[in-house]
Amino acid sequence: MERAEVLKRVIGILTEAQDIRRAVETGQDGTGDGEEDGIGDVSAATAGVATTLLNEMLPSISVPADASPQQVAALVAEALGPALHTMVSGFSLAFTSLAIAHDSGRTDVTAIEILQELALEIEAGTYDGDA
């Protein structure tokens, strides 16, 4: 998966978490069924979306049946290392964007608006050269 796609999925996870939090605060369950069942449904919905997005970002790993533990560790590290690095970079970028807005006292934008702007910058290629 390309870096920009991973970064956008990270923003999707954070945006979904914001939506779920807002639903909890307003007494909605976040399932869209009109029932206000409480936080358990919201947590399940968040976990489902986050799990789906995370699974999309992680590569498949094939391990030979006769692989030694050291070979398995090497295969997993080789496959997951770049994906995890990109995901951590995405969460760090999002956190930094939110922190800068917070620290500068911005009250004219919401966290979701900041994340949306970040997604547009990623789409425009602003962060293509970053590691």
Side-chain angles (χ1 to χ4, degrees):
M1 177 177 295
E2 289 188 31
R3 185 173 191 277
E5 289 303 314
V6 171
L7 295 176
K8 288 189 278 185
R9 280 175 174 74
V10 165
I11 291 170
I13 290 169
L14 295 173
T15 301
E16 182 67 18
Q18 281 286 99
D19 289 341
I20 298 298
R21 181 171 184 240
R22 185 175 303 126
V24 169
E25 290 173 350
T26 61
Q28 300 170 357
D29 72 356
T31 62
D33 62 6
E35 304 268 334
E36 293 186 13
D37 307 15
I39 199 164
D41 293 329
V42 173
S43 298
T46 302
V49 170
T51 298
T52 298
L53 291 170
L54 286 170
N55 284 337
E56 290 174 355
M57 291 186 278
L58 295 173
S60 297
I61 302 171
S62 296
V63 178
D66 62 344
S68 70
Q70 293 81 8
Q71 290 170 320
V72 171
L75 288 169
V76 169
E78 183 180 321
L80 293 182
L84 293 175
H85 179 268
T86 303
M87 286 190 319
V88 168
S89 295
F91 280 108
S92 298
L93 177 62
F95 173 82
T96 301
S97 299
L98 293 166
I100 289 170
H102 174 272
D103 291 350
S104 65
R106 300 240 359 232
T107 58
D108 60 322
V109 293
T110 66
I112 288 180
E113 291 170 333
I114 292 167
L115 293 171
Q116 289 170 341
E117 178 62 31
L118 182 57
L120 291 173
E121 291 172 4
I122 290 166
E123 188 69 30
T126 302
Y127 300 98
D128 285 351
D130 295 345

